[in-house]
Tab-separated table of all heavy atoms in Angstrom:
chain	number	residue	atom	x	y	z
W	1448	GLY	N	0.848	-1.236	0.068
W	1448	GLY	CA	-0.058	-0.021	0.036
W	1448	GLY	C	0.900	1.261	0.055
W	1448	GLY	O	1.873	1.268	0.577
W	1449	SER	N	0.439	2.248	-0.858
W	1449	SER	CA	1.427	3.392	-0.880
W	1449	SER	C	0.518	4.612	-0.846
W	1449	SER	O	-0.631	4.697	-1.293
W	1449	SER	CB	2.104	3.326	-2.162
W	1449	SER	OG	2.927	2.172	-2.280
W	1450	MET	N	1.193	5.846	-0.553
W	1450	MET	CA	0.569	7.097	-0.707
W	1450	MET	C	1.291	7.890	-1.767
W	1450	MET	O	2.556	8.117	-1.734
W	1450	MET	CB	0.628	7.961	0.665
W	1450	MET	CG	0.194	9.373	0.493
W	1450	MET	SD	-1.593	9.375	0.117
W	1450	MET	CE	-2.325	8.910	1.695
W	1451	LEU	N	0.479	8.320	-2.831
W	1451	LEU	CA	1.168	8.979	-4.033
W	1451	LEU	C	1.166	10.447	-3.795
W	1451	LEU	O	-0.005	10.969	-3.494
W	1451	LEU	CB	0.370	8.528	-5.289
W	1451	LEU	CG	0.325	7.080	-5.555
W	1451	LEU	CD1	-0.553	6.762	-6.762
W	1451	LEU	CD2	1.695	6.261	-5.621
W	1452	MET	N	2.157	11.074	-4.015
W	1452	MET	CA	2.246	12.548	-3.664
W	1452	MET	C	2.842	13.342	-4.778
W	1452	MET	O	4.079	13.674	-4.701
W	1452	MET	CB	3.048	12.740	-2.285
W	1452	MET	CG	2.431	12.057	-1.105
W	1452	MET	SD	3.243	12.266	0.421
W	1452	MET	CE	4.742	11.361	0.015
W	1453	PRO	N	2.090	13.721	-5.867
W	1453	PRO	CA	2.606	14.694	-6.736
W	1453	PRO	C	2.905	16.158	-6.168
W	1453	PRO	O	2.093	16.567	-5.350
W	1453	PRO	CB	1.499	14.681	-7.838
W	1453	PRO	CG	0.757	13.486	-7.603
W	1453	PRO	CD	0.805	13.200	-6.232
W	1454	MET	N	3.837	16.719	-6.626
W	1454	MET	CA	4.238	18.074	-6.179
W	1454	MET	C	4.455	19.027	-7.137
W	1454	MET	O	5.112	18.763	-8.223
W	1454	MET	CB	5.531	17.931	-5.237
W	1454	MET	CG	5.420	16.965	-4.181
W	1454	MET	SD	7.054	16.793	-3.302
W	1454	MET	CE	6.655	15.465	-2.031
W	1455	VAL	N	3.691	20.121	-7.021
W	1455	VAL	CA	3.697	21.259	-8.121
W	1455	VAL	C	4.107	22.522	-7.518
W	1455	VAL	O	3.546	22.948	-6.587
W	1455	VAL	CB	2.221	21.370	-8.690
W	1455	VAL	CG1	2.224	22.287	-9.954
W	1455	VAL	CG2	1.743	19.982	-9.120
W	1456	TRP	N	5.025	23.213	-8.255
W	1456	TRP	CA	5.362	24.529	-7.857
W	1456	TRP	C	4.785	25.655	-8.777
W	1456	TRP	O	4.637	26.825	-8.412
W	1456	TRP	CB	6.933	24.677	-7.721
W	1456	TRP	CG	7.434	23.884	-6.697
W	1456	TRP	CD1	7.341	24.239	-5.301
W	1456	TRP	CD2	7.939	22.601	-6.643
W	1456	TRP	NE1	7.880	23.240	-4.566
W	1456	TRP	CE2	8.371	22.084	-5.492
W	1456	TRP	CE3	8.321	21.718	-7.773
W	1456	TRP	CZ2	8.915	20.948	-5.090
W	1456	TRP	CZ3	8.883	20.474	-7.452
W	1456	TRP	CH2	9.198	20.110	-6.241
W	1457	THR	N	4.642	25.320	-10.166
W	1457	THR	CA	4.152	26.282	-11.031
W	1457	THR	C	2.818	26.173	-11.695
W	1457	THR	O	2.330	27.027	-12.261
W	1457	THR	CB	5.215	26.288	-12.292
W	1457	THR	OG1	5.328	25.013	-12.863
W	1457	THR	CG2	6.608	26.503	-11.757
W	1458	GLY	N	2.199	24.866	-11.555
W	1458	GLY	CA	1.075	24.820	-12.159
W	1458	GLY	C	0.483	23.318	-12.077
W	1458	GLY	O	1.159	22.545	-11.589
W	1459	VAL	N	-0.832	23.201	-12.458
W	1459	VAL	CA	-1.285	21.842	-12.592
W	1459	VAL	C	-1.832	21.407	-13.981
W	1459	VAL	O	-2.246	22.345	-14.599
W	1459	VAL	CB	-2.454	21.758	-11.450
W	1459	VAL	CG1	-3.709	22.504	-11.820
W	1459	VAL	CG2	-2.851	20.208	-11.292
W	1460	GLY	N	-1.785	20.315	-14.211
W	1460	GLY	CA	-2.286	19.825	-15.490
W	1460	GLY	C	-3.749	20.011	-15.736
W	1460	GLY	O	-4.582	20.298	-14.871
W	1461	PHE	N	-4.208	20.075	-17.002
W	1461	PHE	CA	-5.561	20.128	-17.371
W	1461	PHE	C	-6.056	21.730	-17.379
W	1461	PHE	O	-7.073	21.902	-18.068
W	1461	PHE	CB	-6.588	19.285	-16.393
W	1461	PHE	CG	-5.979	17.922	-16.243
W	1461	PHE	CD1	-6.105	17.311	-14.959
W	1461	PHE	CD2	-5.381	17.191	-17.240
W	1461	PHE	CE1	-5.581	16.079	-14.758
W	1461	PHE	CE2	-4.866	15.952	-16.996
W	1461	PHE	CZ	-4.980	15.422	-15.846
W	1462	GLY	N	-5.721	22.512	-16.542
W	1462	GLY	CA	-5.959	23.891	-16.557
W	1462	GLY	C	-7.413	24.115	-16.628
W	1462	GLY	O	-8.015	24.777	-17.421
W	1463	CYS	N	-8.250	23.647	-15.556
W	1463	CYS	CA	-9.550	23.892	-15.616
W	1463	CYS	C	-9.970	25.267	-15.064
W	1463	CYS	O	-9.208	25.786	-14.116
W	1463	CYS	CB	-10.205	22.740	-14.584
W	1463	CYS	SG	-9.958	21.093	-15.200
W	1464	GLY	N	-10.989	25.902	-15.649
W	1464	GLY	CA	-11.363	27.163	-15.157
W	1464	GLY	C	-12.763	27.615	-15.608
W	1464	GLY	O	-13.535	26.765	-16.100
W	1465	ILE	N	-13.207	28.837	-15.362
W	1465	ILE	CA	-14.494	29.264	-15.596
W	1465	ILE	C	-14.326	30.395	-16.812
W	1465	ILE	O	-13.545	31.356	-16.667
W	1465	ILE	CB	-15.158	29.916	-14.431
W	1465	ILE	CG1	-15.360	28.758	-13.426
W	1465	ILE	CG2	-16.544	30.453	-14.806
W	1465	ILE	CD1	-15.918	29.356	-12.058
W	1466	GLY	N	-15.170	30.285	-17.904
W	1466	GLY	CA	-15.129	31.236	-18.976
W	1466	GLY	C	-16.409	31.755	-19.198
W	1466	GLY	O	-17.388	31.526	-18.381
W	1467	THR	N	-16.672	32.613	-20.292
W	1467	THR	CA	-17.804	33.335	-20.516
W	1467	THR	C	-18.937	32.250	-20.924
W	1467	THR	O	-20.079	32.573	-20.663
W	1467	THR	CB	-17.735	34.232	-21.609
W	1467	THR	OG1	-17.075	33.547	-22.826
W	1467	THR	CG2	-16.755	35.394	-21.176
W	1468	GLY	N	-18.416	31.056	-21.324
W	1468	GLY	CA	-19.368	29.990	-21.735
W	1468	GLY	C	-19.698	28.939	-20.771
W	1468	GLY	O	-20.266	28.010	-20.959
W	1469	GLY	N	-19.117	29.211	-19.513
W	1469	GLY	CA	-19.334	28.244	-18.437
W	1469	GLY	C	-18.002	27.656	-18.092
W	1469	GLY	O	-16.863	28.012	-18.455
W	1470	SER	N	-17.999	26.547	-17.181
W	1470	SER	CA	-16.788	25.988	-16.720
W	1470	SER	C	-16.218	25.078	-17.847
W	1470	SER	O	-16.968	24.454	-18.712
W	1470	SER	CB	-17.051	25.134	-15.424
W	1470	SER	OG	-18.081	24.045	-15.807
W	1471	GLY	N	-14.915	24.804	-17.781
W	1471	GLY	CA	-14.328	23.910	-18.731
W	1471	GLY	C	-12.756	23.748	-18.329
W	1471	GLY	O	-12.306	24.282	-17.339
W	1472	CYS	N	-11.974	23.136	-19.225
W	1472	CYS	CA	-10.549	22.853	-19.035
W	1472	CYS	C	-9.833	23.322	-20.238
W	1472	CYS	O	-10.155	22.976	-21.317
W	1472	CYS	CB	-10.379	21.397	-18.740
W	1472	CYS	SG	-11.145	20.790	-17.176
W	1473	GLY	N	-8.687	24.206	-19.993
W	1473	GLY	CA	-8.034	24.620	-21.163
W	1473	GLY	C	-6.719	25.142	-20.806
W	1473	GLY	O	-6.022	25.687	-21.743
W	1474	GLY	N	-6.072	24.996	-19.569
W	1474	GLY	CA	-4.752	25.271	-19.263
W	1474	GLY	C	-4.391	26.642	-18.754
W	1474	GLY	O	-3.345	27.133	-18.940
W	1475	SER	N	-5.428	27.137	-18.084
W	1475	SER	CA	-5.242	28.574	-17.548
W	1475	SER	C	-5.202	28.622	-16.079
W	1475	SER	O	-4.979	29.820	-15.571
W	1475	SER	CB	-6.386	29.378	-18.046
W	1475	SER	OG	-7.633	28.835	-17.591
W	1476	VAL	N	-5.260	27.720	-15.398
W	1476	VAL	CA	-5.344	27.742	-13.995
W	1476	VAL	C	-3.981	26.989	-13.302
W	1476	VAL	O	-3.616	26.082	-13.742
W	1476	VAL	CB	-6.564	26.930	-13.392
W	1476	VAL	CG1	-6.495	26.988	-11.822
W	1476	VAL	CG2	-7.772	27.572	-13.792
W	1477	TYR	N	-3.451	27.758	-12.263
W	1477	TYR	CA	-2.216	27.278	-11.591
W	1477	TYR	C	-2.441	27.194	-10.193
W	1477	TYR	O	-3.349	27.826	-9.603
W	1477	TYR	CB	-1.131	28.311	-11.966
W	1477	TYR	CG	-0.624	28.170	-13.439
W	1477	TYR	CD1	-1.299	29.106	-14.356
W	1477	TYR	CD2	0.286	27.392	-13.837
W	1477	TYR	CE1	-0.979	28.995	-15.733
W	1477	TYR	CE2	0.713	27.383	-15.268
W	1477	TYR	CZ	-0.007	28.068	-16.173
W	1477	TYR	OH	0.200	28.133	-17.538
W	1478	THR	N	-1.762	26.315	-9.580
W	1478	THR	CA	-1.879	25.937	-8.234
W	1478	THR	C	-0.701	25.376	-7.567
W	1478	THR	O	0.189	24.750	-8.310
W	1478	THR	CB	-3.076	24.931	-7.989
W	1478	THR	OG1	-3.300	24.704	-6.653
W	1478	THR	CG2	-2.912	23.730	-8.733
W	1479	ARG	N	-0.613	25.348	-6.197
W	1479	ARG	CA	0.522	24.742	-5.548
W	1479	ARG	C	-0.034	23.401	-4.795
W	1479	ARG	O	0.712	22.663	-4.346
W	1479	ARG	CB	1.174	25.646	-4.483
W	1479	ARG	CG	1.985	26.909	-4.931
W	1479	ARG	CD	2.419	27.686	-3.878
W	1479	ARG	NE	3.286	28.721	-4.432
W	1479	ARG	CZ	4.682	28.670	-4.495
W	1479	ARG	NH1	5.211	27.524	-4.220
W	1479	ARG	NH2	5.275	29.636	-4.998
W	1480	ILE	N	-1.182	23.191	-4.867
W	1480	ILE	CA	-1.924	22.058	-4.227
W	1480	ILE	C	-2.042	21.008	-5.217
W	1480	ILE	O	-2.416	21.135	-6.307
W	1480	ILE	CB	-3.281	22.477	-3.723
W	1480	ILE	CG1	-3.093	23.652	-2.733
W	1480	ILE	CG2	-3.846	21.270	-2.853
W	1480	ILE	CD1	-2.259	23.592	-1.549
W	1481	THR	N	-1.788	19.700	-4.661
W	1481	THR	CA	-1.700	18.545	-5.624
W	1481	THR	C	-2.773	17.517	-5.106
W	1481	THR	O	-3.062	17.478	-3.961
W	1481	THR	CB	-0.330	17.978	-5.605
W	1481	THR	OG1	0.095	17.594	-4.317
W	1481	THR	CG2	0.748	19.076	-6.233
W	1482	PRO	N	-3.041	16.507	-6.075
W	1482	PRO	CA	-3.928	15.441	-5.625
W	1482	PRO	C	-3.166	14.340	-5.004
W	1482	PRO	O	-2.400	13.604	-5.702
W	1482	PRO	CB	-4.589	14.944	-6.976
W	1482	PRO	CG	-3.560	15.374	-7.967
W	1482	PRO	CD	-2.825	16.645	-7.511
W	1483	PHE	N	-3.455	14.138	-3.659
W	1483	PHE	CA	-2.781	13.013	-2.902
W	1483	PHE	C	-3.736	11.749	-3.116
W	1483	PHE	O	-4.980	11.880	-3.062
W	1483	PHE	CB	-2.643	13.286	-1.569
W	1483	PHE	CG	-1.656	14.299	-1.277
W	1483	PHE	CD1	-1.919	15.640	-1.276
W	1483	PHE	CD2	-0.272	13.774	-0.730
W	1483	PHE	CE1	-0.885	16.548	-0.961
W	1483	PHE	CE2	0.578	14.765	-0.361
W	1483	PHE	CZ	0.369	16.171	-0.511
W	1484	GLN	N	-3.152	10.628	-3.487
W	1484	GLN	CA	-3.897	9.389	-3.772
W	1484	GLN	C	-3.298	8.184	-3.050
W	1484	GLN	O	-2.039	8.106	-3.017
W	1484	GLN	CB	-4.003	9.158	-5.265
W	1484	GLN	CG	-4.852	10.039	-6.037
W	1484	GLN	CD	-4.899	9.680	-7.477
W	1484	GLN	OE1	-4.070	10.024	-8.350
W	1484	GLN	NE2	-5.844	8.922	-7.839
W	1485	GLY	N	-4.077	7.359	-2.543
W	1485	GLY	CA	-3.723	6.063	-1.987
W	1485	GLY	C	-3.650	4.972	-3.191
W	1485	GLY	O	-4.589	5.081	-4.127
W	1486	GLU	N	-2.962	3.880	-2.952
W	1486	GLU	CA	-3.101	2.812	-3.909
W	1486	GLU	C	-2.699	1.533	-3.185
W	1486	GLU	O	-1.928	1.478	-2.179
W	1486	GLU	CB	-2.054	2.970	-5.158
W	1486	GLU	CG	-0.645	2.872	-4.962
W	1486	GLU	CD	-0.175	1.499	-5.156
W	1486	GLU	OE1	-0.886	0.548	-5.665
W	1486	GLU	OE2	1.071	1.185	-4.610
W	1487	PHE	N	-3.385	0.421	-3.583
W	1487	PHE	CA	-3.054	-0.931	-3.054
W	1487	PHE	C	-2.898	-1.898	-4.256
W	1487	PHE	O	-3.565	-1.889	-5.228
W	1487	PHE	CB	-4.305	-1.411	-2.191
W	1487	PHE	CG	-4.573	-0.470	-1.059
W	1487	PHE	CD1	-5.443	0.593	-1.187
W	1487	PHE	CD2	-3.845	-0.555	0.126
W	1487	PHE	CE1	-5.723	1.345	-0.097
W	1487	PHE	CE2	-4.165	0.166	1.307
W	1487	PHE	CZ	-5.032	1.247	1.099
W	1488	SER	N	-1.748	-2.744	-4.137
W	1488	SER	CA	-1.478	-3.561	-5.196
W	1488	SER	C	-0.822	-4.769	-4.700
W	1488	SER	O	-0.396	-4.974	-3.626
W	1488	SER	CB	-0.553	-2.800	-6.148
W	1488	SER	OG	0.622	-2.375	-5.556
């Protein structure tokens, strides 16, 4: 069992955000917080 910890200093993939046509994904949002995930194998 493991804890997976991606670390980001400049941005996060997928770039999800809100535009004039509603929410979507396009590469415009940056963050320092990452998705922690557990795995069992």
Side-chain angles (χ1 to χ4, degrees):
S1449 302
M1450 178 63 71
L1451 310 174
M1452 299 177 290
M1454 300 179 185
V1455 184
W1456 292 282
T1457 59
V1459 68
F1461 316 136
C1463 300
I1465 302 174
T1467 57
S1470 62
C1472 295
S1475 62
V1476 175
Y1477 292 87
T1478 180
R1479 289 178 178 269
I1480 308 300
T1481 60
F1483 290 80
Q1484 291 180 271
E1486 72 88 18
F1487 300 93
S1488 58

